[in-house]
């Protein structure tokens, strides 16, 4: 466990550093705008492209893995939504945000850095695939459920909104381009490869620091009672359901299983707060869920990686 803590502590340390900086430096959240542009539109897309463009094509066509992980995430969304729907008196918009809070992990900002450090370069492909398809699921569910819950809009307008969110997202574009490059055998060489790698190496530090600052600028005002349901759903139940789904659909490479479990164990994505703001539903509580799950995930992610490394979870030991 000491080795695992040493492995992941720099990543959570970057979040903590950003949090402290956000509390000390008197700057508004808008000051993060250009750093977020760099992370979302440049550094992380470069990372995904670098990982996928150099991957053998046959590894990218893992339909069973994609179906199992995406279906597991959908099941978690349904569970979270159903509990919240009953508890909130059939408030579909609020239940939707709570369902996303339980199912939508921080797989963009935190996922690649921690997975590559813990599992090695072989984790790059499953991380990119999970990110692409999980995000597509969330981009579909959010406007669909909000439309059912009262924000009525024509089907064509909703379909267009979903299409644009999916196919203009820089991470998904980078994934598509990277897969295309792998299929065509196009591999950047020389200065271009070094330039892309330099951008890719900057992705995790900048993303995690920005996440810490963002959390610091949204202080915890009160603990919503829903937190006691959402936290175990996100940090415990989600990886268990993913593990069961992969067990039924497998066998898969141990690194792919470990990557899927790790991504499922990550805290609620900051995007859940962004979606809550967009629809003006459950905004303060969404911010609280992001903060609390991030803090608690320091322990739960450490325990999961230790369980994987020691064989308590029935997969093969880590491959390096």
């Amino acid at each position: 466990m000491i080795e695992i803590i040493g492995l992941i502590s720099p990543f959570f340390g970057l979040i903590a550093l950003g949090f402290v900086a956000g509390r000390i430096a008197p700057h508004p959240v808008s000051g993060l705008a250009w750093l977020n542009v760099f992370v979302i539109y440049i550094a992380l897309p470069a990372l995904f492209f670098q990982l996928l463009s150099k991957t053998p094509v046959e590894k990218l066509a893992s339909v069973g893995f994609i179906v199992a992980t995406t279906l597991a995430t959908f099941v978690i969304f349904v569970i979270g939504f159903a509990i919240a729907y009953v508890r909130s008196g059939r408030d579909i918009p609020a239940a939707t945000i709570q369902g996303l809070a339980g199912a939508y992990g921080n797989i963009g900002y935190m996922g690649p850095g921690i997975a590559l450090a813990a599992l090695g370069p072989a984790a790059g492909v499953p991380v990119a695939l999970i990110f692409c398809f999980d995000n597509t699921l969330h981009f579909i569910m959010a406007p669909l459920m909000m439309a059912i819950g009262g924000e009525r809009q024509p089907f064509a307008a909703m379909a267009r909104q979903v299409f644009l969110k999916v196919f203009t997202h820089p991470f998904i574009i980078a994934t598509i381009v990277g897969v295309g490059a792998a299929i065509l055998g196009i591999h950047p060489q020389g200065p271009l490869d070094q330039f892309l790698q330099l951008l890719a190496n900057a992705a995790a530090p900048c993303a995690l620091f920005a996440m810490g600052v963002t959390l610091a600028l949204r202080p915890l005002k009160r603990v919503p009672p829903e937190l006691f349901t959402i936290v175990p759903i996100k940090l415990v139940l989600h990886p268990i359901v993913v593990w069961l789904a992969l067990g039924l659909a497998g066998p898969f490479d141990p690194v792919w299983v470990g990557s899927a479990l790790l991504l499922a164990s990550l805290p609620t994505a900051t995007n859940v707060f962004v979606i809550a703001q967009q629809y003006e539903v459950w905004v303060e509580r969404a911010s609280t869920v992001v903060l609390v799950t991030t803090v608690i995930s320091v322990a739960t992610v450490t325990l999961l990686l230790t369980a994987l490394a020691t064989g308590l979870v029935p997969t093969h030991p880590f491959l390096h």
Side-chain angles (χ1 to χ4, degrees):
M1 181 172 287
I2 297 299
E3 184 180 345
I4 297 295
I5 292 172
L7 183 69
I8 69 169
S9 59
F11 297 93
F12 286 103
L14 281 165
I15 297 174
L17 185 64
F19 187 88
V20 171
R23 284 299 179 92
I24 294 175
H27 299 298
V29 69
S30 58
L32 282 175
W34 283 110
L35 179 58
N36 284 327
V37 167
F38 173 74
V39 170
I40 294 170
Y41 289 92
I42 300 173
L44 281 171
L47 173 61
F48 282 122
F49 176 82
Q50 285 290 82
L51 293 172
L52 293 169
S53 65
K54 300 175 181 179
T55 300
V57 177
E58 61 273 12
K59 289 188 177 181
L60 299 174
S62 302
V63 176
F65 180 82
I66 293 168
V67 170
T69 53
T70 308
L71 182 60
T73 298
F74 177 71
V75 168
I76 290 297
F77 171 80
V78 171
I79 292 171
F81 175 87
I83 293 172
Y85 180 73
V86 172
R87 184 169 49 200
S88 65
R90 302 184 180 182
D91 185 343
I92 291 178
T96 298
I97 300 300
Q98 293 176 62
L100 290 173
Y104 197 169
N106 209 323
I107 53 179
Y109 275 22
M110 297 178 67
I114 296 178
L116 292 173
L119 300 164
V125 176
V127 167
L129 291 176
I130 291 171
F131 179 87
C132 184
F133 286 93
D134 271 19
N135 267 295
T136 299
L137 172 67
H138 300 312
F139 292 160
I140 291 171
M141 294 310 299
L144 175 63
M145 297 308 296
M146 291 301 179
I148 293 172
E151 187 166 310
R152 303 294 178 184
Q153 58 177 320
F155 176 78
M158 185 177 68
R160 180 176 178 275
Q161 179 184 348
V162 170
F163 181 86
L164 288 175
K165 279 195 172 184
V166 171
F167 290 102
T168 61
H169 195 291
F171 297 173
I172 293 177
I173 292 173
T175 298
I176 294 171
V177 173
V179 171
I183 292 172
L184 297 174
I186 300 172
H187 307 297
Q189 302 294 329
L192 178 58
D193 182 55
Q194 293 175 13
F195 176 65
L196 290 172
Q197 195 57 48
L198 186 65
L199 292 174
N201 291 341
C206 292
L208 296 173
F209 180 83
M211 180 183 167
V213 174
T214 303
L215 292 174
L217 298 177
R218 296 175 190 147
L220 178 62
K221 295 180 179 178
R222 66 185 184 89
V223 177
E226 298 89 346
L227 203 63
F228 297 99
T229 304
I230 294 172
V231 170
I233 287 176
K234 181 70 212 71
L235 300 180
V236 179
L237 186 61
H238 193 180
I240 289 174
V241 172
V242 167
W243 178 70
L244 291 172
L246 290 174
L248 291 172
F252 298 103
D253 186 303
V255 173
W256 284 50
V257 175
S259 300
L261 292 178
L262 175 59
L263 264 61
S265 73
L266 293 178
T268 301
T270 51
N271 269 355
V272 174
F273 172 77
V274 173
I275 294 170
Q277 278 190 315
Q278 177 185 349
Y279 292 102
E280 298 180 347
V281 175
W282 224 67
V283 178
E284 270 191 23
R285 283 172 286 184
S287 174
T288 300
V289 169
V290 174
L291 174 59
V292 172
T293 54
T294 300
V295 172
I296 295 176
S297 70
V298 177
T300 55
V301 169
T302 301
L303 290 172
L304 174 66
L305 289 175
T306 302
L308 287 168
T310 56
L312 292 176
V313 175
T315 59
H316 295 295
F318 291 157
L319 303 180
H320 297 283

